[in-house]
Amino acid sequence: NWHLNTGNGYYGGLQISARTWASFGGHRYARRADLASRSQQIDVGNRIYEADGWKPWRACAPNATGRPGSRHRS
């Protein structure tokens, strides 16, 4: 769900924290990831991936292939 906000401090389909979203230029799209479009979240997710690899998504990294957003279209 690209507009997910469960209150856990992580937002959108890629579950990006507000701090990380801002650090990687997400504010040019929206205040938080859940308020941005799927493609905008993937754009920021790819920048995060370029800088940190799968580290920000440790919990799902063992099952991941490709870049953020490349497999799932929620």
Side-chain angles (χ1 to χ4, degrees):
N1 180 347
W2 295 99
H3 299 291
L4 187 65
N5 178 359
T6 62
N8 66 355
Y10 298 92
Y11 304 93
L14 299 176
Q15 290 292 277
I16 301 171
S17 73
R19 175 181 237 161
T20 301
W21 179 254
S23 295
F24 284 89
H27 280 176
R28 74 173 145 185
Y29 299 125
R31 189 168 37 97
R32 295 186 319 259
D34 62 312
L35 303 174
S37 71
R38 173 187 179 273
S39 62
Q40 292 167 338
Q41 291 179 49
I42 291 171
D43 180 52
V44 174
N46 282 328
R47 279 190 252 132
I48 296 166
Y49 176 79
E50 287 295 320
D52 296 329
W54 286 109
K55 188 172 125 186
W57 297 282
R58 282 190 273 296
C60 54
N63 300 319
T65 61
R67 297 167 78 71
S70 64
R71 291 182 60 203
H72 301 291
R73 295 179 185 251
S74 299

Short mmCIF file of all heavy atoms in Angstrom, two decimals:
data_model
loop_
_atom_site.label_atom_id
_atom_site.label_comp_id
_atom_site.label_asym_id
_atom_site.label_seq_id
_atom_site.Cartn_x
_atom_site.Cartn_y
_atom_site.Cartn_z
N ASN A 1 0.85 -1.17 0.00
CA ASN A 1 0.00 0.00 0.00
C ASN A 1 0.89 1.24 0.00
O ASN A 1 1.56 1.51 0.99
CB ASN A 1 -0.91 -0.04 1.21
CG ASN A 1 -1.83 1.16 1.29
OD1 ASN A 1 -1.65 2.15 0.59
ND2 ASN A 1 -2.80 1.07 2.17
N TRP A 2 0.91 1.96 -1.07
CA TRP A 2 1.80 3.11 -1.22
C TRP A 2 1.39 4.29 -0.34
O TRP A 2 2.19 5.21 -0.16
CB TRP A 2 1.87 3.51 -2.69
CG TRP A 2 2.53 2.41 -3.48
CD1 TRP A 2 1.90 1.46 -4.22
CD2 TRP A 2 3.92 2.11 -3.53
NE1 TRP A 2 2.83 0.58 -4.74
CE2 TRP A 2 4.08 0.96 -4.33
CE3 TRP A 2 5.06 2.69 -2.97
CZ2 TRP A 2 5.32 0.39 -4.61
CZ3 TRP A 2 6.30 2.12 -3.24
CH2 TRP A 2 6.42 0.99 -4.05
N HIS A 3 0.21 4.27 0.25
CA HIS A 3 -0.22 5.36 1.12
C HIS A 3 -0.35 4.89 2.57
O HIS A 3 -1.11 5.45 3.36
CB HIS A 3 -1.53 5.96 0.60
CG HIS A 3 -1.35 6.53 -0.77
ND1 HIS A 3 -0.60 7.66 -1.02
CD2 HIS A 3 -1.77 6.10 -1.98
CE1 HIS A 3 -0.58 7.89 -2.31
NE2 HIS A 3 -1.29 6.96 -2.93
N LEU A 4 0.42 3.89 2.93
CA LEU A 4 0.38 3.29 4.26
C LEU A 4 0.94 4.22 5.33
O LEU A 4 2.02 4.79 5.19
CB LEU A 4 1.19 1.99 4.24
CG LEU A 4 1.14 1.13 5.50
CD1 LEU A 4 -0.27 0.60 5.71
CD2 LEU A 4 2.12 -0.03 5.35
N ASN A 5 0.18 4.39 6.41
CA ASN A 5 0.61 5.13 7.59
C ASN A 5 0.00 4.43 8.80
O ASN A 5 -1.13 4.71 9.18
CB ASN A 5 0.18 6.59 7.53
CG ASN A 5 0.58 7.36 8.77
OD1 ASN A 5 1.16 6.82 9.70
ND2 ASN A 5 0.27 8.64 8.79
N THR A 6 0.74 3.51 9.39
CA THR A 6 0.22 2.74 10.52
C THR A 6 0.57 3.36 11.86
O THR A 6 0.19 2.84 12.89
CB THR A 6 0.77 1.30 10.49
OG1 THR A 6 2.19 1.36 10.61
CG2 THR A 6 0.37 0.58 9.23
N GLY A 7 1.33 4.47 11.83
CA GLY A 7 1.71 5.11 13.08
C GLY A 7 3.00 4.56 13.68
O GLY A 7 3.34 4.87 14.81
N ASN A 8 3.74 3.74 12.91
CA ASN A 8 4.96 3.15 13.44
C ASN A 8 6.21 4.00 13.15
O ASN A 8 7.32 3.62 13.47
CB ASN A 8 5.17 1.74 12.87
CG ASN A 8 5.42 1.71 11.38
OD1 ASN A 8 5.36 2.73 10.70
ND2 ASN A 8 5.68 0.52 10.85
N GLY A 9 6.03 5.17 12.52
CA GLY A 9 7.16 6.04 12.22
C GLY A 9 7.76 5.82 10.84
O GLY A 9 8.72 6.48 10.47
N TYR A 10 7.19 4.88 10.09
CA TYR A 10 7.64 4.60 8.74
C TYR A 10 6.43 4.73 7.82
O TYR A 10 5.32 4.34 8.18
CB TYR A 10 8.25 3.20 8.65
CG TYR A 10 9.47 3.07 9.51
CD1 TYR A 10 9.37 2.61 10.82
CD2 TYR A 10 10.72 3.43 9.04
CE1 TYR A 10 10.48 2.51 11.63
CE2 TYR A 10 11.85 3.33 9.84
CZ TYR A 10 11.72 2.87 11.14
OH TYR A 10 12.83 2.78 11.93
N TYR A 11 6.66 5.25 6.62
CA TYR A 11 5.54 5.65 5.77
C TYR A 11 5.65 5.10 4.36
O TYR A 11 6.74 4.91 3.84
CB TYR A 11 5.47 7.18 5.71
CG TYR A 11 5.36 7.81 7.07
CD1 TYR A 11 6.50 8.21 7.76
CD2 TYR A 11 4.13 7.97 7.67
CE1 TYR A 11 6.41 8.78 9.02
CE2 TYR A 11 4.02 8.54 8.93
CZ TYR A 11 5.17 8.94 9.61
OH TYR A 11 5.06 9.49 10.85
N GLY A 12 4.49 4.91 3.74
CA GLY A 12 4.41 4.53 2.34
C GLY A 12 4.73 3.08 2.08
O GLY A 12 4.93 2.28 2.98
N GLY A 13 4.76 2.75 0.81
CA GLY A 13 4.97 1.38 0.37
C GLY A 13 6.35 0.83 0.69
O GLY A 13 6.52 -0.37 0.82
N LEU A 14 7.34 1.71 0.82
CA LEU A 14 8.70 1.27 1.13
C LEU A 14 9.05 1.48 2.60
O LEU A 14 10.18 1.22 2.99
CB LEU A 14 9.71 1.99 0.22
CG LEU A 14 9.53 1.74 -1.27
CD1 LEU A 14 10.51 2.58 -2.08
CD2 LEU A 14 9.67 0.26 -1.59
N GLN A 15 8.08 1.96 3.38
CA GLN A 15 8.26 2.17 4.82
C GLN A 15 9.52 2.99 5.11
O GLN A 15 10.47 2.55 5.73
CB GLN A 15 8.31 0.82 5.55
CG GLN A 15 6.96 0.11 5.58
CD GLN A 15 5.96 0.87 6.46
OE1 GLN A 15 5.96 0.70 7.67
NE2 GLN A 15 5.13 1.72 5.86
N ILE A 16 9.50 4.23 4.66
CA ILE A 16 10.61 5.16 4.81
C ILE A 16 10.30 6.10 5.97
O ILE A 16 9.22 6.68 6.04
CB ILE A 16 10.82 5.97 3.51
CG1 ILE A 16 11.10 5.02 2.35
CG2 ILE A 16 11.94 6.99 3.68
CD1 ILE A 16 11.12 5.71 0.98
N SER A 17 11.26 6.28 6.87
CA SER A 17 11.05 7.21 7.98
C SER A 17 11.02 8.64 7.46
O SER A 17 11.57 8.95 6.39
CB SER A 17 12.18 7.07 9.02
OG SER A 17 13.38 7.64 8.53
N ALA A 18 10.39 9.52 8.21
CA ALA A 18 10.29 10.92 7.81
C ALA A 18 11.68 11.55 7.68
O ALA A 18 11.94 12.33 6.76
CB ALA A 18 9.43 11.69 8.81
N ARG A 19 12.58 11.20 8.57
CA ARG A 19 13.94 11.75 8.54
C ARG A 19 14.68 11.30 7.28
O ARG A 19 15.33 12.10 6.60
CB ARG A 19 14.70 11.33 9.78
CG ARG A 19 16.14 11.75 9.75
CD ARG A 19 16.87 11.30 10.98
NE ARG A 19 17.42 12.49 11.58
CZ ARG A 19 17.81 12.61 12.82
NH1 ARG A 19 17.69 11.61 13.65
NH2 ARG A 19 18.32 13.71 13.25
N THR A 20 14.59 10.02 6.96
CA THR A 20 15.25 9.50 5.76
C THR A 20 14.62 10.10 4.52
O THR A 20 15.32 10.47 3.57
CB THR A 20 15.19 7.97 5.74
OG1 THR A 20 15.85 7.47 6.91
CG2 THR A 20 15.85 7.40 4.50
N TRP A 21 13.31 10.20 4.49
CA TRP A 21 12.59 10.79 3.36
C TRP A 21 13.13 12.20 3.08
O TRP A 21 13.44 12.55 1.94
CB TRP A 21 11.10 10.82 3.69
CG TRP A 21 10.22 11.41 2.64
CD1 TRP A 21 9.62 12.64 2.68
CD2 TRP A 21 9.83 10.83 1.40
NE1 TRP A 21 8.88 12.84 1.54
CE2 TRP A 21 8.99 11.75 0.74
CE3 TRP A 21 10.10 9.62 0.77
CZ2 TRP A 21 8.42 11.50 -0.50
CZ3 TRP A 21 9.54 9.35 -0.47
CH2 TRP A 21 8.71 10.29 -1.08
N ALA A 22 13.24 12.99 4.12
CA ALA A 22 13.75 14.36 3.96
C ALA A 22 15.21 14.36 3.53
O ALA A 22 15.61 15.13 2.64
CB ALA A 22 13.58 15.13 5.27
N SER A 23 16.01 13.49 4.12
CA SER A 23 17.45 13.45 3.82
C SER A 23 17.75 13.10 2.37
O SER A 23 18.78 13.51 1.83
CB SER A 23 18.15 12.43 4.72
OG SER A 23 18.08 12.82 6.07
N PHE A 24 16.87 12.34 1.75
CA PHE A 24 17.10 11.91 0.38
C PHE A 24 16.22 12.64 -0.63
O PHE A 24 15.97 12.16 -1.73
CB PHE A 24 16.93 10.39 0.27
CG PHE A 24 18.11 9.65 0.85
CD1 PHE A 24 18.13 9.32 2.19
CD2 PHE A 24 19.20 9.34 0.07
CE1 PHE A 24 19.22 8.66 2.75
CE2 PHE A 24 20.30 8.68 0.61
CZ PHE A 24 20.31 8.35 1.95
N GLY A 25 15.76 13.84 -0.26
CA GLY A 25 15.06 14.70 -1.20
C GLY A 25 13.58 14.47 -1.36
O GLY A 25 12.97 15.02 -2.27
N GLY A 26 12.98 13.69 -0.49
CA GLY A 26 11.56 13.40 -0.61
C GLY A 26 10.66 14.61 -0.46
O GLY A 26 9.57 14.65 -1.02
N HIS A 27 11.12 15.63 0.28
CA HIS A 27 10.27 16.80 0.49
C HIS A 27 9.97 17.55 -0.79
O HIS A 27 9.02 18.33 -0.83
CB HIS A 27 10.91 17.74 1.51
CG HIS A 27 10.70 17.30 2.91
ND1 HIS A 27 11.25 17.97 3.98
CD2 HIS A 27 10.00 16.27 3.45
CE1 HIS A 27 10.89 17.35 5.10
NE2 HIS A 27 10.14 16.32 4.80
N ARG A 28 10.71 17.31 -1.84
CA ARG A 28 10.36 17.97 -3.10
C ARG A 28 9.07 17.39 -3.67
O ARG A 28 8.44 17.98 -4.54
CB ARG A 28 11.49 17.91 -4.10
CG ARG A 28 11.71 16.57 -4.72
CD ARG A 28 12.74 16.67 -5.81
NE ARG A 28 13.53 15.46 -5.83
CZ ARG A 28 14.55 15.28 -6.60
NH1 ARG A 28 14.96 16.25 -7.37
NH2 ARG A 28 15.21 14.15 -6.58
N TYR A 29 8.67 16.20 -3.17
CA TYR A 29 7.43 15.57 -3.61
C TYR A 29 6.30 15.76 -2.60
O TYR A 29 5.19 16.09 -2.98
CB TYR A 29 7.63 14.06 -3.81
CG TYR A 29 8.64 13.71 -4.86
CD1 TYR A 29 9.70 12.89 -4.56
CD2 TYR A 29 8.51 14.17 -6.17
CE1 TYR A 29 10.63 12.53 -5.53
CE2 TYR A 29 9.44 13.84 -7.14
CZ TYR A 29 10.49 13.02 -6.81
OH TYR A 29 11.41 12.67 -7.77
N ALA A 30 6.58 15.46 -1.35
CA ALA A 30 5.54 15.52 -0.31
C ALA A 30 6.22 15.56 1.06
O ALA A 30 7.40 15.25 1.20
CB ALA A 30 4.63 14.30 -0.40
N ARG A 31 5.45 15.91 2.06
CA ARG A 31 5.97 16.01 3.43
C ARG A 31 6.44 14.66 3.97
O ARG A 31 7.41 14.57 4.71
CB ARG A 31 4.88 16.60 4.33
CG ARG A 31 5.31 16.97 5.70
CD ARG A 31 4.26 17.82 6.42
NE ARG A 31 2.89 17.44 6.13
CZ ARG A 31 2.16 16.65 6.90
NH1 ARG A 31 2.65 16.14 8.00
NH2 ARG A 31 0.92 16.36 6.56
N ARG A 32 5.70 13.58 3.62
CA ARG A 32 6.06 12.21 4.04
C ARG A 32 5.86 11.29 2.85
O ARG A 32 5.11 11.59 1.92
CB ARG A 32 5.15 11.73 5.18
CG ARG A 32 5.26 12.47 6.48
CD ARG A 32 4.42 11.78 7.57
NE ARG A 32 3.13 11.31 7.12
CZ ARG A 32 1.97 11.92 7.33
NH1 ARG A 32 1.93 13.03 8.03
NH2 ARG A 32 0.84 11.40 6.88
N ALA A 33 6.47 10.12 2.93
CA ALA A 33 6.39 9.17 1.82
C ALA A 33 4.95 8.74 1.53
O ALA A 33 4.57 8.59 0.36
CB ALA A 33 7.24 7.94 2.11
N ASP A 34 4.13 8.55 2.54
CA ASP A 34 2.76 8.08 2.31
C ASP A 34 1.90 9.09 1.56
O ASP A 34 0.86 8.75 1.03
CB ASP A 34 2.08 7.69 3.63
CG ASP A 34 1.95 8.84 4.60
OD1 ASP A 34 2.94 9.57 4.82
OD2 ASP A 34 0.85 9.03 5.15
N LEU A 35 2.36 10.32 1.50
CA LEU A 35 1.63 11.37 0.80
C LEU A 35 2.11 11.54 -0.64
O LEU A 35 1.54 12.32 -1.40
CB LEU A 35 1.76 12.69 1.56
CG LEU A 35 1.27 12.64 3.01
CD1 LEU A 35 1.58 13.94 3.73
CD2 LEU A 35 -0.21 12.31 3.08
N ALA A 36 3.15 10.80 -1.01
CA ALA A 36 3.72 10.87 -2.36
C ALA A 36 3.19 9.72 -3.21
O ALA A 36 2.67 8.73 -2.69
CB ALA A 36 5.24 10.80 -2.27
N SER A 37 3.35 9.83 -4.50
CA SER A 37 2.91 8.77 -5.41
C SER A 37 3.87 7.58 -5.35
O SER A 37 4.99 7.69 -4.83
CB SER A 37 2.86 9.30 -6.85
OG SER A 37 4.18 9.50 -7.34
N ARG A 38 3.44 6.48 -5.91
CA ARG A 38 4.26 5.28 -5.99
C ARG A 38 5.60 5.59 -6.67
O ARG A 38 6.66 5.24 -6.16
CB ARG A 38 3.51 4.20 -6.76
CG ARG A 38 4.33 2.97 -7.06
CD ARG A 38 3.55 2.02 -8.00
NE ARG A 38 4.31 0.85 -8.32
CZ ARG A 38 5.18 0.76 -9.32
NH1 ARG A 38 5.38 1.79 -10.12
NH2 ARG A 38 5.85 -0.35 -9.53
N SER A 39 5.56 6.24 -7.81
CA SER A 39 6.79 6.52 -8.56
C SER A 39 7.71 7.47 -7.80
O SER A 39 8.93 7.33 -7.85
CB SER A 39 6.48 7.06 -9.96
OG SER A 39 5.79 8.27 -9.88
N GLN A 40 7.14 8.41 -7.07
CA GLN A 40 7.96 9.32 -6.27
C GLN A 40 8.63 8.57 -5.12
O GLN A 40 9.81 8.80 -4.83
CB GLN A 40 7.09 10.47 -5.74
CG GLN A 40 6.62 11.39 -6.84
CD GLN A 40 5.53 12.33 -6.39
OE1 GLN A 40 4.80 12.08 -5.42
NE2 GLN A 40 5.37 13.43 -7.12
N GLN A 41 7.90 7.66 -4.49
CA GLN A 41 8.48 6.86 -3.42
C GLN A 41 9.61 5.98 -3.95
O GLN A 41 10.66 5.84 -3.32
CB GLN A 41 7.42 6.00 -2.75
CG GLN A 41 6.42 6.81 -1.94
CD GLN A 41 5.37 5.94 -1.31
OE1 GLN A 41 5.68 4.93 -0.68
NE2 GLN A 41 4.11 6.33 -1.45
N ILE A 42 9.40 5.41 -5.12
CA ILE A 42 10.43 4.56 -5.71
C ILE A 42 11.66 5.39 -6.07
O ILE A 42 12.80 4.95 -5.88
CB ILE A 42 9.87 3.80 -6.92
CG1 ILE A 42 8.87 2.74 -6.43
CG2 ILE A 42 10.99 3.14 -7.74
CD1 ILE A 42 8.09 2.07 -7.54
N ASP A 43 11.46 6.59 -6.57
CA ASP A 43 12.59 7.47 -6.88
C ASP A 43 13.44 7.72 -5.64
O ASP A 43 14.66 7.55 -5.68
CB ASP A 43 12.07 8.80 -7.45
CG ASP A 43 13.20 9.74 -7.80
OD1 ASP A 43 14.12 9.33 -8.53
OD2 ASP A 43 13.15 10.90 -7.35
N VAL A 44 12.81 8.08 -4.55
CA VAL A 44 13.54 8.31 -3.31
C VAL A 44 14.14 7.00 -2.80
O VAL A 44 15.29 6.96 -2.36
CB VAL A 44 12.65 8.98 -2.24
CG1 VAL A 44 13.36 9.09 -0.91
CG2 VAL A 44 12.19 10.36 -2.72
N GLY A 45 13.37 5.91 -2.88
CA GLY A 45 13.88 4.61 -2.46
C GLY A 45 15.13 4.21 -3.22
O GLY A 45 16.07 3.65 -2.64
N ASN A 46 15.18 4.50 -4.50
CA ASN A 46 16.37 4.18 -5.28
C ASN A 46 17.57 5.01 -4.85
O ASN A 46 18.69 4.52 -4.83
CB ASN A 46 16.10 4.36 -6.78
CG ASN A 46 15.33 3.20 -7.35
OD1 ASN A 46 15.48 2.06 -6.91
ND2 ASN A 46 14.50 3.47 -8.34
N ARG A 47 17.34 6.26 -4.46
CA ARG A 47 18.45 7.09 -3.95
C ARG A 47 18.96 6.54 -2.63
O ARG A 47 20.16 6.51 -2.38
CB ARG A 47 18.00 8.54 -3.82
CG ARG A 47 18.05 9.25 -5.16
CD ARG A 47 17.85 10.73 -5.03
NE ARG A 47 16.51 10.97 -5.58
CZ ARG A 47 15.58 11.68 -5.02
NH1 ARG A 47 15.79 12.29 -3.89
NH2 ARG A 47 14.40 11.82 -5.58
N ILE A 48 18.04 6.10 -1.79
CA ILE A 48 18.43 5.49 -0.52
C ILE A 48 19.23 4.22 -0.79
O ILE A 48 20.29 4.00 -0.19
CB ILE A 48 17.19 5.18 0.36
CG1 ILE A 48 16.47 6.47 0.74
CG2 ILE A 48 17.59 4.38 1.60
CD1 ILE A 48 15.08 6.27 1.31
N TYR A 49 18.75 3.40 -1.72
CA TYR A 49 19.43 2.15 -2.08
C TYR A 49 20.84 2.42 -2.61
O TYR A 49 21.78 1.72 -2.27
CB TYR A 49 18.59 1.40 -3.11
CG TYR A 49 19.24 0.14 -3.61
CD1 TYR A 49 19.21 -1.03 -2.84
CD2 TYR A 49 19.89 0.12 -4.83
CE1 TYR A 49 19.80 -2.18 -3.31
CE2 TYR A 49 20.48 -1.03 -5.30
CZ TYR A 49 20.44 -2.19 -4.53
OH TYR A 49 21.04 -3.32 -4.98
N GLU A 50 20.98 3.44 -3.45
CA GLU A 50 22.31 3.78 -4.00
C GLU A 50 23.28 4.14 -2.89
O GLU A 50 24.47 3.81 -2.96
CB GLU A 50 22.19 4.95 -4.98
CG GLU A 50 21.55 4.59 -6.30
CD GLU A 50 22.38 3.61 -7.10
OE1 GLU A 50 23.61 3.73 -7.13
OE2 GLU A 50 21.76 2.70 -7.71
N ALA A 51 22.80 4.80 -1.86
CA ALA A 51 23.67 5.22 -0.75
C ALA A 51 23.92 4.12 0.28
O ALA A 51 25.03 3.99 0.79
CB ALA A 51 23.05 6.44 -0.05
N ASP A 52 22.89 3.33 0.58
CA ASP A 52 22.96 2.40 1.71
C ASP A 52 22.65 0.95 1.37
O ASP A 52 22.58 0.12 2.27
CB ASP A 52 22.01 2.85 2.82
CG ASP A 52 22.39 4.20 3.40
OD1 ASP A 52 23.59 4.52 3.41
OD2 ASP A 52 21.49 4.93 3.84
N GLY A 53 22.41 0.62 0.12
CA GLY A 53 22.04 -0.74 -0.24
C GLY A 53 20.74 -1.13 0.45
O GLY A 53 19.85 -0.31 0.65
N TRP A 54 20.65 -2.40 0.84
CA TRP A 54 19.43 -2.90 1.49
C TRP A 54 19.41 -2.64 2.99
O TRP A 54 18.44 -2.99 3.66
CB TRP A 54 19.25 -4.39 1.22
CG TRP A 54 18.81 -4.65 -0.19
CD1 TRP A 54 19.55 -5.20 -1.18
CD2 TRP A 54 17.54 -4.35 -0.75
NE1 TRP A 54 18.81 -5.26 -2.34
CE2 TRP A 54 17.58 -4.75 -2.10
CE3 TRP A 54 16.37 -3.78 -0.25
CZ2 TRP A 54 16.49 -4.60 -2.95
CZ3 TRP A 54 15.29 -3.63 -1.11
CH2 TRP A 54 15.36 -4.03 -2.43
N LYS A 55 20.45 -2.03 3.53
CA LYS A 55 20.54 -1.80 4.98
C LYS A 55 19.28 -1.17 5.59
O LYS A 55 18.81 -1.63 6.63
CB LYS A 55 21.78 -0.95 5.28
CG LYS A 55 22.09 -0.80 6.73
CD LYS A 55 23.44 -0.11 6.88
CE LYS A 55 23.29 1.10 7.75
NZ LYS A 55 24.51 1.90 7.83
N PRO A 56 18.69 -0.15 4.98
CA PRO A 56 17.49 0.44 5.59
C PRO A 56 16.29 -0.51 5.64
O PRO A 56 15.35 -0.27 6.38
CB PRO A 56 17.18 1.64 4.69
CG PRO A 56 18.46 1.95 4.01
CD PRO A 56 19.15 0.62 3.83
N TRP A 57 16.33 -1.58 4.83
CA TRP A 57 15.23 -2.53 4.78
C TRP A 57 15.72 -3.91 5.25
O TRP A 57 15.40 -4.93 4.66
CB TRP A 57 14.68 -2.63 3.36
CG TRP A 57 14.11 -1.33 2.87
CD1 TRP A 57 12.90 -0.80 3.19
CD2 TRP A 57 14.73 -0.41 1.97
NE1 TRP A 57 12.73 0.40 2.54
CE2 TRP A 57 13.83 0.67 1.79
CE3 TRP A 57 15.95 -0.37 1.30
CZ2 TRP A 57 14.11 1.75 0.96
CZ3 TRP A 57 16.24 0.71 0.48
CH2 TRP A 57 15.32 1.75 0.32
N ARG A 58 16.47 -3.93 6.34
CA ARG A 58 17.08 -5.18 6.84
C ARG A 58 16.07 -6.31 7.00
O ARG A 58 16.37 -7.46 6.69
CB ARG A 58 17.76 -4.95 8.19
CG ARG A 58 19.08 -4.27 8.10
CD ARG A 58 19.79 -4.30 9.44
NE ARG A 58 19.51 -3.23 10.37
CZ ARG A 58 19.79 -1.95 10.19
NH1 ARG A 58 20.32 -1.55 9.07
NH2 ARG A 58 19.54 -1.06 11.10
N ALA A 59 14.88 -6.01 7.48
CA ALA A 59 13.90 -7.06 7.76
C ALA A 59 13.47 -7.79 6.50
O ALA A 59 13.21 -8.99 6.54
CB ALA A 59 12.68 -6.46 8.46
N CYS A 60 13.39 -7.10 5.38
CA CYS A 60 12.94 -7.76 4.16
C CYS A 60 14.08 -8.01 3.18
O CYS A 60 13.88 -8.68 2.16
CB CYS A 60 11.83 -6.97 3.49
SG CYS A 60 12.21 -5.26 3.16
N ALA A 61 15.26 -7.54 3.46
CA ALA A 61 16.39 -7.68 2.54
C ALA A 61 16.70 -9.14 2.18
O ALA A 61 17.05 -9.40 1.03
CB ALA A 61 17.62 -6.99 3.10
N PRO A 62 16.60 -10.11 3.09
CA PRO A 62 16.91 -11.48 2.68
C PRO A 62 16.03 -12.00 1.56
O PRO A 62 16.42 -12.89 0.81
CB PRO A 62 16.68 -12.28 3.96
CG PRO A 62 16.87 -11.31 5.06
CD PRO A 62 16.34 -10.01 4.51
N ASN A 63 14.84 -11.43 1.40
CA ASN A 63 13.90 -11.87 0.36
C ASN A 63 13.92 -10.96 -0.86
O ASN A 63 13.18 -11.19 -1.80
CB ASN A 63 12.48 -11.89 0.92
CG ASN A 63 12.37 -12.84 2.09
OD1 ASN A 63 12.93 -13.92 2.06
ND2 ASN A 63 11.68 -12.42 3.12
N ALA A 64 14.74 -9.92 -0.83
CA ALA A 64 14.69 -8.89 -1.86
C ALA A 64 15.62 -9.19 -3.03
O ALA A 64 16.68 -9.77 -2.86
CB ALA A 64 15.07 -7.55 -1.25
N THR A 65 15.15 -8.78 -4.20
CA THR A 65 15.99 -8.80 -5.40
C THR A 65 15.73 -7.51 -6.13
O THR A 65 14.66 -6.93 -6.02
CB THR A 65 15.66 -9.99 -6.31
OG1 THR A 65 14.31 -9.88 -6.73
CG2 THR A 65 15.90 -11.32 -5.62
N GLY A 66 16.67 -7.05 -6.88
CA GLY A 66 16.48 -5.81 -7.63
C GLY A 66 16.50 -4.59 -6.74
O GLY A 66 17.03 -4.61 -5.64
N ARG A 67 15.88 -3.54 -7.21
CA ARG A 67 15.87 -2.26 -6.51
C ARG A 67 14.53 -2.08 -5.81
O ARG A 67 13.57 -2.76 -6.12
CB ARG A 67 16.11 -1.15 -7.52
CG ARG A 67 17.48 -1.27 -8.18
CD ARG A 67 17.59 -0.38 -9.37
NE ARG A 67 17.82 1.01 -9.08
CZ ARG A 67 18.95 1.52 -8.61
NH1 ARG A 67 19.95 0.74 -8.34
NH2 ARG A 67 19.08 2.80 -8.41
N PRO A 68 14.44 -1.11 -4.89
CA PRO A 68 13.18 -0.88 -4.18
C PRO A 68 12.02 -0.63 -5.14
O PRO A 68 12.15 0.14 -6.10
CB PRO A 68 13.48 0.37 -3.35
CG PRO A 68 14.95 0.33 -3.15
CD PRO A 68 15.52 -0.25 -4.42
N GLY A 69 10.92 -1.28 -4.87
CA GLY A 69 9.71 -1.08 -5.66
C GLY A 69 9.67 -1.85 -6.97
O GLY A 69 8.70 -1.77 -7.70
N SER A 70 10.71 -2.63 -7.27
CA SER A 70 10.75 -3.29 -8.57
C SER A 70 9.91 -4.56 -8.63
O SER A 70 9.56 -5.01 -9.71
CB SER A 70 12.20 -3.64 -8.93
OG SER A 70 12.74 -4.55 -8.02
N ARG A 71 9.56 -5.15 -7.50
CA ARG A 71 8.84 -6.42 -7.50
C ARG A 71 7.37 -6.27 -7.19
O ARG A 71 6.54 -6.98 -7.72
CB ARG A 71 9.46 -7.37 -6.47
CG ARG A 71 10.83 -7.82 -6.87
CD ARG A 71 11.40 -8.78 -5.89
NE ARG A 71 10.54 -9.96 -5.78
CZ ARG A 71 10.53 -10.75 -4.74
NH1 ARG A 71 11.31 -10.53 -3.72
NH2 ARG A 71 9.75 -11.80 -4.71
N HIS A 72 7.02 -5.39 -6.27
CA HIS A 72 5.65 -5.34 -5.76
C HIS A 72 4.94 -4.09 -6.26
O HIS A 72 5.50 -3.01 -6.27
CB HIS A 72 5.66 -5.36 -4.23
CG HIS A 72 6.34 -6.57 -3.69
ND1 HIS A 72 5.80 -7.82 -3.81
CD2 HIS A 72 7.51 -6.72 -3.05
CE1 HIS A 72 6.61 -8.70 -3.25
NE2 HIS A 72 7.66 -8.05 -2.79
N ARG A 73 3.72 -4.25 -6.63
CA ARG A 73 2.91 -3.13 -7.09
C ARG A 73 1.65 -3.04 -6.25
O ARG A 73 0.56 -3.25 -6.73
CB ARG A 73 2.56 -3.28 -8.56
CG ARG A 73 3.78 -3.22 -9.43
CD ARG A 73 3.38 -3.40 -10.88
NE ARG A 73 4.57 -3.44 -11.69
CZ ARG A 73 4.93 -2.47 -12.51
NH1 ARG A 73 4.20 -1.41 -12.62
NH2 ARG A 73 6.01 -2.59 -13.22
N SER A 74 1.81 -2.75 -4.97
CA SER A 74 0.66 -2.66 -4.05
C SER A 74 -0.20 -1.47 -4.37
O SER A 74 0.25 -0.48 -4.84
CB SER A 74 1.14 -2.54 -2.61
OG SER A 74 1.86 -3.67 -2.26
#
